[in-house]
Amino acid sequence: MSTFWSLFVVAVTVGMLAGCYWLLTATRRSEVADGEHTEKDHAFDGITELETPLPRWWYYMFVLTIVFAVVYLILYPGLGNFGGVLGWDQTRQWEEEVARAEERYAPIFERYASIPVAELVHEDKAMRMGQRIFGNFCSQCHGSAAQGAFGFPNLTDDDWLWGGSPEAIRTSIVQGRQAAMPGWEAALGDTGIEQMTQYVLSLSGRATDAAAAEAGKGRYELFCVSCHGAEGKGQPALGAPNLTDGTWLYGGSAAQIAFTLRNGRNGRMPAHGDLLDDARIHILTAYVYGLGDGNRTAGTAPETSPRNEAAVAATAGQ
């Protein structure tokens, strides 16, 4: 803080305290005792205002708050660049607290970091730590139950844009992901968009306009097969979704699919490698991995997961 602003803060702070004290004492002196009441030096329409004075204890309590403020500002920071006679610093206190926490928890994180992800999912204490890390860094987008929302993937199923192996999940956390589907309105036109929409609907076995879907197949093979594959099952290496299942990140209705085809989609997950250390990333990876069946990779069918159900129920109940 510059000298000017420091002096400005000091002047305003001291002035406010002095002003409060002056207002309190000046008001009290202006009262003229009159039995149990105080007669104010003004009248209106022939009526003189009479008020009961403030209790003496209340007046001294108010004075005490001003004295407390003065003492506090002498001992602690509050007057511009003046740091207080005690030399207390909130940054230093925070650093000391962090250092104590690191000293206490470092051995725990070190032990968990040495356990493979597939085994760590069975460590209940580690998973509770992972749940808290997830709540701090991931729940804003994926939800507290990790079930996602429009445009944000559900992490409790077995549908993975970038793969669901421990290595793939860790890469997503550390490096983030940038998905980009171009808009095809200029290339396809309105008719082409409609035909392509019908073909995409047919890939997941839904009722479509057969003629339009057949016409859209050729357009799909020309524009889409390089990312989504000939059968529409997607490619985790590119983050291209599987179009043959019932999972839709941006909605699977005809109108929503047409919007996606016309305008494209750009999804981004920020990298967390600079926000979390390796041990916490390892625990978070295990937590996300454990939300499913605990032994999955992209394209494999999920099995019933008691851990998944318990984790979702626990987070949903918070």
Side-chain angles (χ1 to χ4, degrees):
M1 186 185 301
S2 67
T3 302
F4 170 79
W5 287 113
S6 177
L7 294 175
F8 177 80
V9 170
V10 172
V12 171
T13 304
V14 173
M16 290 294 291
L17 290 175
C20 288
Y21 181 74
W22 171 84
L23 179 63
L24 182 66
T25 55
T27 303
R28 186 174 179 84
R29 289 196 189 105
S30 67
E31 299 172 348
V32 178
D34 181 26
E36 296 180 357
H37 297 85
T38 301
E39 183 176 342
K40 294 290 186 180
D41 190 20
H42 65 271
F44 179 77
D45 198 19
I47 301 174
T48 301
E49 182 180 352
L50 298 175
E51 291 185 357
T52 301
L54 292 174
R56 186 179 298 275
W57 66 267
W58 190 96
Y59 168 78
Y60 287 121
M61 285 289 290
F62 204 121
V63 172
L64 185 61
T65 63
I66 297 176
V67 173
F68 174 85
V70 173
V71 174
Y72 179 91
L73 292 172
I74 294 173
L75 298 177
Y76 295 97
L79 293 175
N81 291 330
F82 176 63
V85 297
L86 295 182
W88 178 85
D89 180 81
Q90 61 181 358
T91 301
R92 185 173 63 254
Q93 178 177 331
W94 174 80
E95 291 173 346
E96 291 172 353
E97 291 174 354
V98 169
R100 289 194 297 268
E102 289 294 337
E103 182 180 0
R104 177 180 178 183
Y105 297 113
I108 301 175
F109 282 113
E110 184 177 352
R111 184 175 73 85
Y112 288 150
S114 66
I115 302 175
V117 168
E119 299 177 18
L120 190 59
V121 295
H122 302 295
E123 292 276 350
D124 290 336
K125 290 184 178 179
M127 291 303 93
R128 286 197 292 270
M129 294 173 69
Q131 183 182 27
R132 290 190 287 270
I133 296 172
F134 183 92
N136 288 335
F137 292 93
C138 312
S139 62
Q140 295 87 344
C141 294
H142 295 284
S144 60
Q147 293 182 318
F150 183 85
F152 301 100
N154 181 354
L155 304 179
T156 66
D157 59 18
D158 197 55
D159 194 276
W160 292 86
L161 290 175
W162 303 93
S165 67
E167 295 76 16
I169 294 173
R170 179 182 175 84
T171 300
S172 296
I173 295 172
V174 174
Q175 300 180 6
R177 299 292 188 179
Q178 177 65 60
M181 173 178 168
W184 296 105
E185 183 174 27
L188 295 175
D190 291 339
T191 300
I193 293 291
E194 175 59 28
Q195 293 173 344
M196 184 80 80
T197 298
Q198 294 300 309
Y199 180 71
V200 171
L201 287 171
S202 72
L203 289 174
S204 55
R206 286 183 287 174
T208 61
D209 182 329
E214 183 62 28
K217 180 178 180 181
R219 298 176 185 273
Y220 174 89
E221 293 174 348
L222 179 62
F223 294 104
C224 309
V225 70
S226 59
C227 291
H228 295 282
E231 298 179 352
K233 294 185 179 298
Q235 295 190 60
L238 300 176
N242 183 350
L243 304 178
T244 66
D245 57 19
T247 303
W248 297 89
L249 189 61
Y250 293 100
S253 68
Q256 290 168 321
I257 293 173
F259 184 93
T260 298
L261 290 169
R262 183 173 289 109
N263 300 286
R265 297 290 186 181
N266 287 279
R268 179 178 178 272
M269 173 178 167
H272 286 72
D274 293 335
L275 301 175
L276 298 169
D277 58 27
D278 289 341
R280 287 173 174 80
I281 289 172
H282 185 72
I283 294 174
L284 181 58
T285 298
Y287 176 75
V288 174
Y289 183 71
L291 289 172
D293 63 17
N295 186 27
R296 62 192 175 186
T297 56
T300 60
E303 300 174 358
T304 303
S305 171
R307 168 167 289 282
N308 176 36
E309 296 172 359
V312 172
T315 52
Q318 291 183 343

